[in-house]
């Protein structure tokens, strides 16, 4: 007697920070021989999905198209005006700019229709949806399909109810606030709640959403923003309670730490690994694929490396489009290595000679650094980066630069030196590494939970 089909459908935006953990989980289930795996995302990720299991090491994952990627929703393809608005120093204005830019039925409706067609075909027993793809939650709740939320943020950022006085998500404020900060926190929360009523553009889009929901058949429960969390079978949070402020975390939240593939990712790579082998203390500098530095900022990073020369080396992943901003090659300090791309950031972070990570504070890079016990210097870029940065500082795993924009050479050099040479930062980061390696966490713990939720028995459970 054949067992009933229990398909698992992964649903994700194409952005690296959102799709990468889900690709890792799909590969893990494939490796275990789990049948009926599907992955719905934008067309530009087709090859990555179709490669899973193609070499015979696991079951194949069926790619299902959600259409071409939407440039407005991908931070790496924002125009300069949008980038400046979303990364401006006022955290409320930046938050408002992001909402105005992304809350639009034009970006939701096509995805919803495409996903409805996919679910008609696949009939999933469980959907695993990235936390920003609202069409996925709306469809799952409307159709009564159990869903799991994939959230690369602090647990409190995913919660729908927070205690009075708790830092409002995206405010970047600490738990222990001054009187001025408490007023700012209250005002941030009030503005956020009132925004959809007081802003003329958002009022117009609310009306458009209501009309579109009727046309698409989105249920009233599904149209509530809080339903994506409150109605979820589980919320997979790629962080730890110890990296957030004390708060009662809902029972269906699963704090998993970093979701990483088996390492090394690129075992044959020798050039960067050889350079790391030759330098006993290295700062890895990676601001993600979103940050856009100007010529002065690039020059100031070079000057920071120069000031560290003799004690520490710097490996800098600087996107190709910014290389023309570098000073002449013969003027660069000998301890600085720049790369346009790295075969694996994880392999770099795992190297024992990498002592710290200077980063923009994105969710995955933040938790991955700590998985390898590497303390952080954080230069938050926008929205959730500020929340991670202040929690990183307050939990003792790193420091935060004073300026949100620009590179202050004195400040960055002093704080990098402190992070590198004060053993308390490394000790605390290593404690976060230990916690992430506890049973039930990481890639294998998350995969076990998915199989349990979908009531699937894998063909092979070989580890």
């Amino acid at each position: 007697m054949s067992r009933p089909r229990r398909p698992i459908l992964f649903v994700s935006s194409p952005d690296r920070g959102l799709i990468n953990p889900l690709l890792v989980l799909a590969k893990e289930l494939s490796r275990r021989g789990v049948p009926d795996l599907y992955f719905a995302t934008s067309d530009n990720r087709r090859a990555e999905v179709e490669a899973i299991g193609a070499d015979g090491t696991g079951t194949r994952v069926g790619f299902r198209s959600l259409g071409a990627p939407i440039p407005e929703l991908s931070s790496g393809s924002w125009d300069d005006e949008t980038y400046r608005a979303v990364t401006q120093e006022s955290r409320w204005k930046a938050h408002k700019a992001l909402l105005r830019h992304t809350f639009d039925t034009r970006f939701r409706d096509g995805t919803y229709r495409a996903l409805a067609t996919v679910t008609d075909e696949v009939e999933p027993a469980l959907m695993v949806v990235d936390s920003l793809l609202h069409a996925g939650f709306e469809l799952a709740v409307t159709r009564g399909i159990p869903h799991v939320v994939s959230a690369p943020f602090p647990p409190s950022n995913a919660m729908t109810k927070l205690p009075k006085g708790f830092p409002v998500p995206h405010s970047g404020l600490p738990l222990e606030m001054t009187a001025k900060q408490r007023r700012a926190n209250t005002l941030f929360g009030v503005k956020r709640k009132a925004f959809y009523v007081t802003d003329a553009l958002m009022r117009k889009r609310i009306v458009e959403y209501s009309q579109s929901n009727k046309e698409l058949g989105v249920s009233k429960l599904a149209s509530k923003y809080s339903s994506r969390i409150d109605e979820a079978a589980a919320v997979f949070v790629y962080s730890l309670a110890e990296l957030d402020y004390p708060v009662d975390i809902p029972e269906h939240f699963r704090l998993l730490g970093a979701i990483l593939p088996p390492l090394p990712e690129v075992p044959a790579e020798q050039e960067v690994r050889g350079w790391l082998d030759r330098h006993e203390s290295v700062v890895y500098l990676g601001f993600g694929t979103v940050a856009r530095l100007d010529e002065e900022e690039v020059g100031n990073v070079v000057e920071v490396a120069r000031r560290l020369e003799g004690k520490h080396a710097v490996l800098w992943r600087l996107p190709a489009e910014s290389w023309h901003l570098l000073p002449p090659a013969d003027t660069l300090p000998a301890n600085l290595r720049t790369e346009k791309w790295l075969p694996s950031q994880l392999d770099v972070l795992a190297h024992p000679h990498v002592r710290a990570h200077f980063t923009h504070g994105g969710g995955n890079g933040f938790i991955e650094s700590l998985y390898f016990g590497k303390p952080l210097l954080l230069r938050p870029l926008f929205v959730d980066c500020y929340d991670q940065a202040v929690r990183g500082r307050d939990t003792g795993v790193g420091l935060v630069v004073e300026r949100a924009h620009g590179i202050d050479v004195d400040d960055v050099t002093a704080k990098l030196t402190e992070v590198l040479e004060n053993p308390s930062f490394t000790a605390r980061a290593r404690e976060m590494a230990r916690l992430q390696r506890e049973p039930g966490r990481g890639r294998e713990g998350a995969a076990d939970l998915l199989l349990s939720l979908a009531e699937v028995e894998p063909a092979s459970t070989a580890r």
Side-chain angles (χ1 to χ4, degrees), residues 198-417:
T198 58
D199 185 271
L201 176 62
M202 298 307 286
R203 289 201 303 271
K204 175 176 178 291
R205 289 182 177 172
I206 287 289
V207 172
E208 292 170 350
Y209 249 88
S210 180
Q211 293 171 342
S212 176
N213 284 345
K214 291 179 182 179
E215 293 171 6
L216 294 172
V218 178
S219 70
K220 289 184 177 180
L221 178 62
S223 65
K224 291 176 59 179
Y225 182 72
S226 60
S227 291
R228 69 187 181 114
I229 299 296
D230 294 342
E231 300 300 317
V235 179
F236 283 9
V237 180
Y238 310 135
S239 186
L240 302 171
E242 292 81 1
L243 288 168
D244 204 346
Y245 298 125
V247 65
D248 290 333
I249 297 172
E251 290 184 3
H252 68 309
F253 278 41
R254 301 290 182 265
L255 275 60
L256 297 164
I259 303 297
L260 306 182
L263 298 178
E265 278 194 293
V266 189
E269 196 283 324
Q270 293 298 326
E271 190 173 346
V272 174
R273 183 178 289 110
W275 184 86
L276 292 171
D277 288 343
R278 295 190 298 274
H279 295 81
E280 292 188 1
S281 180
V282 178
V283 176
Y284 171 55
L285 199 163
F287 291 144
T289 57
V290 181
R292 303 174 190 180
L293 303 182
D294 60 29
E295 186 172 7
E296 180 182 0
E297 290 169 332
V298 169
N300 285 349
V301 170
V302 172
E303 180 58 28
V304 170
R306 194 184 312 280
R307 294 193 184 184
L308 295 174
E309 195 169 6
K311 298 187 74 174
H312 310 286
V314 176
L315 174 63
W316 184 10
R317 189 174 71 80
L318 178 66
E321 56 268 24
S322 298
W323 269 51
H324 70 284
L325 301 176
L326 282 167
D330 59 359
T331 68
L332 296 176
N335 66 326
L336 173 64
R337 181 186 180 105
T338 52
E339 294 285 342
K340 296 173 183 175
W341 185 252
L342 291 168
S344 170
Q345 175 172 282
L346 296 175
D347 288 350
V348 169
L349 290 170
H351 196 284
H353 288 176
V354 173
R355 310 295 187 191
H357 186 188
F358 184 15
T359 174
H360 67 299
N364 288 326
F366 180 87
I367 195 65
E368 288 164 2
S369 298
L370 297 176
Y371 180 89
F372 297 108
K374 307 302 165 71
L376 301 146
L377 179 62
L378 297 141
R379 178 183 179 261
L381 181 64
F382 62 174
V383 290
D384 64 289
C385 299
Y386 287 104
D387 296 336
Q388 271 134 199
V390 71
R391 285 159 174 76
R393 182 198 67 194
D394 289 353
T395 54
V397 298
L399 293 174
V400 182
V401 298
E402 295 297 334
R403 292 169 56 186
H405 293 267
I407 299 287
D408 184 314
V409 175
D410 291 337
D411 183 52
V412 170
T413 303
K415 286 180 175 168
L416 264 179
T417 301

